[in-house]
Amino acid sequence: MLGARGGWRALRRCASLPRAVRLRVREALGAREAAEAVRVQGWVRSVRSQKEVLFLHINDGSSLESLQVVADPSLEKRDLTFGSAVEVQGKLVKSPHRMQNMELQAETIHVVGPCDIWSFPLKMKERHPLEYVRQFPHLRCRNNTLGALLRIRSEATAGIHSFFQDNGYVHIHTPIITSNDCEGAGELFQIEVMEDLFKTVTSTVLSKCPRDVELFHKYIAPAQKGRLEQILKNKFMIISYSEAVEILKQAPQTFTFKPEWGCDLQTEHEKYLVKHCGEVPVFVVNYPYDLKPFYMRDNEDGPEHTVAAVDLLVPGVGELCGGSLREERLPFLESRLQRLGLTDAYQWYLDLRKFGSVPHGGFGMGFERYLQYILGVDNIKDVIPFPRFSHSCVL
């Protein structure tokens, strides 16, 4: 780490350089024309020194591809190594190589932050397993796979917000700490919205992060690309909870949890149902009344007595989304809360029904599960930048 004096010297050196346009690596690679004075900052991904030319590849996290830097060997320095942070200034020119559009002809190379390659846990040109880089949450974003994941997460998040904004919704911030029992809260009201959200956001991610997604589909889950393309073309299936239980009872395999009407579906049940339906997303609707929270709408459907609830199950993951119509009828809510002994605790909820209530619903989607599914990642820890799990809270 640079001391105070060293840091000021570095800043003065940067300030003394001729004025140049700063470009991100992604911008430099996508440039259509050459530029005389360009400044690019990033980490060194590879260094190759020849007798008459020095080659660097630098990456700043803005793209999967790195920018090739061509320099005179006299610019090589002892601390110009893999992993070091550098600032390169020079001319952006058309690259003679077919695999890259532009390259940077360096005039100056300044090592902003050196890197000890012997103790740095990520090694040059080595494809590290996800389990290995999981040990270094503070550094793993410098790995291609996790860098790609962060860009995909960003686009998926933006896509979700855009979907709702484009459909007239308002984004609000609700309390994180609350006295209410939130079991099952924040779920979905229309199957069409669920399916449309999934397909719209996935199409956005595929169009805006094609190379990042391709990395996962090529090295992590080779068959996922074709499956995802088919799912985007076809309608999702719909079955009732009662139908799901019958399918499970007739299954040729033995489950750890015996399927019975009135019991919640376990992950093993959800995965079997998806497999039974042809490895396509499946909506399971109309769950037992006693299985779901008090606010889900009573279907008034006789002996089986169900509520208007829905779960979206997807291959390899199980439940991705869950939702319901909310009970807007005050007498139904009062009756159920009284039976549960919760009337006093939820008087505020009854007020919402007394004063101008309307039919409505809610939904929730497991964001990390969504990323798991579209990318084909087995372990949910590998789609979370800083995962927290039992006996592990690094950082």
Side-chain angles (χ1 to χ4, degrees):
M1 187 173 180
L2 290 173
R5 291 181 180 178
W8 280 113
R9 284 197 297 270
L11 287 174
R12 284 198 295 271
R13 279 197 297 270
C14 292
S16 66
L17 293 172
R19 182 176 295 276
V21 177
R22 183 188 169 189
L23 295 180
R24 291 183 175 86
V25 167
R26 180 184 62 202
E27 295 168 334
L29 290 170
R32 296 183 179 181
E33 297 179 354
E36 284 295 316
V38 167
R39 181 162 50 97
V40 179
Q41 299 168 335
W43 289 281
V44 175
R45 286 294 179 86
S46 69
V47 183
R48 183 161 52 93
S49 181
Q50 297 182 355
K51 187 176 181 180
E52 298 181 353
V53 67
L54 172 68
F55 291 104
L56 300 179
H57 282 90
I58 62 174
N59 192 290
D60 61 0
S62 62
S63 75
L64 182 63
E65 299 81 14
S66 297
L67 176 66
Q68 178 168 278
V69 176
V70 183
D72 187 276
S74 63
L75 294 178
E76 185 173 12
K77 303 172 184 178
R78 179 179 297 178
D79 54 0
L80 184 60
T81 62
F82 169 71
S84 59
V86 298
E87 178 179 273
V88 182
Q89 186 167 310
K91 297 178 180 178
L92 190 66
V93 299
K94 290 284 185 182
S95 175
H97 301 288
R98 183 170 54 88
M99 298 299 291
Q100 184 160 278
N101 180 43
M102 307 295 284
E103 66 182 25
L104 186 59
Q105 291 182 349
E107 295 171 354
T108 63
I109 300 176
H110 172 53
V111 178
V112 179
C115 176
D116 180 0
I117 59 173
W118 303 112
S119 58
F120 188 43
L122 305 180
K123 305 304 177 184
M124 186 167 63
K125 296 182 179 179
E126 189 169 328
R127 189 173 299 282
H128 299 290
L130 294 175
E131 295 78 10
Y132 173 77
V133 296
R134 203 183 297 152
Q135 303 172 75
F136 312 102
H138 55 304
L139 295 172
R140 66 179 191 162
C141 62
R142 304 262 293 273
N143 167 270
N144 272 344
T145 306
L146 270 296
L149 170 70
L150 293 180
R151 290 185 291 273
I152 292 168
R153 282 182 67 101
S154 177
E155 289 296 345
T157 302
I160 291 169
H161 281 272
S162 294
F163 174 85
F164 287 110
Q165 285 184 327
D166 293 345
N167 285 279
Y169 293 85
V170 176
H171 181 206
I172 65 169
H173 295 277
T174 54
I176 295 174
I177 301 175
T178 174
S179 61
N180 303 312
D181 179 2
C182 295
E183 175 62 31
E187 300 176 298
L188 191 90
F189 46 94
Q190 282 188 348
I191 285 175
E192 292 81 3
V193 175
M194 238 182 203
E195 185 170 341
D196 197 20
L197 170 66
F198 177 91
K199 291 182 175 180
T200 301
V201 175
T202 303
S203 297
T204 299
V205 170
L206 293 176
S207 65
K208 292 193 173 183
C209 303
R211 296 294 301 274
D212 292 323
V213 174
E214 182 185 15
L215 176 71
F216 284 89
H217 290 174
K218 185 175 181 180
Y219 297 107
I220 307 297
Q224 189 65 7
K225 180 181 179 181
R227 289 196 291 261
L228 203 55
E229 289 173 349
Q230 287 302 311
I231 284 168
L232 292 176
K233 293 176 184 176
N234 300 309
K235 293 287 290 181
F236 294 177
M237 289 191 64
I238 303 174
I239 61 174
S240 70
Y241 170 87
S242 298
E243 290 172 325
V245 171
E246 287 306 310
I247 291 171
L248 294 169
K249 285 182 175 181
Q250 296 173 21
Q253 70 182 67
T254 302
F255 297 105
T256 303
F257 297 91
K258 186 179 179 181
E260 294 288 351
W261 202 97
C263 296
D264 208 355
L265 298 180
Q266 304 296 320
T267 299
E268 60 176 341
H269 302 149
E270 295 167 345
K271 290 183 176 181
Y272 178 83
L273 288 169
V274 171
K275 184 178 179 181
H276 175 84
C277 293
E279 295 289 357
V280 298
V282 180
F283 288 111
V284 180
V285 300
N286 299 329
Y287 279 78
Y289 178 89
D290 291 327
L291 194 60
K292 293 294 183 179
F294 71 88
Y295 51 76
M296 294 191 176
R297 197 178 199 276
D298 190 341
N299 283 329
E300 299 181 89
D301 53 355
E304 288 191 333
H305 205 179
T306 64
V307 292
V310 56
D311 286 341
L312 174 60
L313 314 180
V314 297
V317 173
E319 182 184 344
L320 175 64
C321 300
S324 75
L325 292 175
R326 304 308 199 222
E327 183 59 82
E328 84 284 4
R329 299 165 295 183
L330 182 60
F332 283 78
L333 268 178
E334 287 178 326
S335 175
R336 191 166 192 189
L337 286 173
Q338 187 175 10
R339 289 198 303 273
L340 295 171
L342 296 173
T343 301
D344 291 339
Y346 285 96
Q347 189 60 50
W348 65 270
Y349 198 81
L350 294 175
D351 285 348
L352 293 173
R353 301 304 184 266
K354 290 178 183 178
F355 308 123
S357 180
V358 296
H360 63 285
F363 77 94
M365 179 176 76
F367 184 62
E368 275 75 28
R369 289 188 178 195
Y370 167 75
L371 294 172
Q372 260 191 290
Y373 176 56
I374 67 168
L375 299 177
V377 175
D378 290 332
N379 196 319
I380 198 168
K381 301 183 187 76
D382 296 321
V383 294
I384 303 173
F386 299 95
R388 301 288 187 259
F389 49 97
S390 181
H391 308 297
S392 177
C393 189
V394 182
L395 296 186

